[in-house]
Amino acid sequence: PSLPFLSRYTLPLTLHLLSLPNLLSLLTAALLDKKIVIHSTYKRLSSGVVLSVGVCIYPFGYHHVMIPVLPKVVEEMMEVVEGAVVPFVVGMSSPLPDGGKRIPKDVVIVDLNEDKIVNGEELPEFPGLSGIKKKLKFLSRDLQLYWPPKLNSSHNHHKNNNNNNS
């Protein structure tokens, strides 16, 4: 079977937003049935990456809780995330309470704005890592030709333009 239609959007977006080591850490966490919070200030980005998790682990499937955009009411009740007993992948767009310091060790936080993964537990190395890195490096480089700059550089660009205009 072929990849779902949605992969045409979500896969390039995920490859663009996450560095290769962080992408592999996200996939490792998903395959190990970890609790994963995908965080970005932009809902469309966090939801796109959440939806790409199933595509990225193809031909395996993700059969746990997957919520592309966690409602703001639930985001404010972090006890729901803290107390979950099943694996999940959820997208959040509002700031993490206490900067994510209150998040339990078994929850992996993927910060798309900073291209960083925060987790309390050490994740094992992805099997066959060197071969995968070589193959994905070419794909990632090719995508840079078609996608705009990463969040940090575009954010800084806008900030600099606003300072020049005043």
Side-chain angles (χ1 to χ4, degrees), residues 34-163:
K34 298 290 185 183
K35 301 170 188 173
I36 305 168
V37 174
I38 309 286
H39 181 263
S40 172
T41 52
Y42 302 100
K43 287 180 187 175
R44 63 187 165 90
L45 298 181
S46 58
S47 63
V49 173
V50 167
L51 293 171
S52 76
V53 170
V55 173
C56 288
I57 63 172
Y58 181 84
F60 302 107
Y62 191 80
H63 302 286
H64 302 293
V65 176
M66 187 177 281
I67 305 172
V69 180
L70 198 61
K72 194 168 191 80
V73 173
V74 178
E75 285 183 16
E76 293 170 359
M77 300 174 4
M78 281 308 287
E79 299 86 35
V80 172
V81 172
E82 293 170 0
V85 293
V86 296
F88 60 78
V89 179
V90 298
M92 291 180 71
S93 60
S94 62
L96 295 169
D98 299 327
K101 294 175 185 162
R102 232 179 39 157
I103 304 290
K105 289 185 177 190
D106 64 336
V107 176
V108 176
I109 301 172
V110 180
D111 184 343
L112 298 178
N113 296 334
E114 301 293 327
D115 185 17
K116 140 177 116 167
I117 301 232
V118 179
N119 58 317
E121 298 176 344
E122 188 70 27
L123 290 173
E125 188 174 286
F126 199 86
L129 186 63
S130 61
I132 293 171
K133 279 185 178 180
K134 285 179 186 174
K135 290 178 181 178
L136 288 180
K137 194 178 283 188
F138 294 111
L139 178 60
S140 180
R141 187 184 66 216
D142 290 346
L143 282 173
Q144 298 303 317
L145 300 173
Y146 301 104
W147 282 79
K150 292 198 182 239
L151 287 177
N152 285 338
S153 58
S154 65
H155 176 69
N156 292 337
H157 175 72
H158 292 300
K159 200 187 279 186
N160 291 339
N161 282 346
N162 289 340
N163 289 342

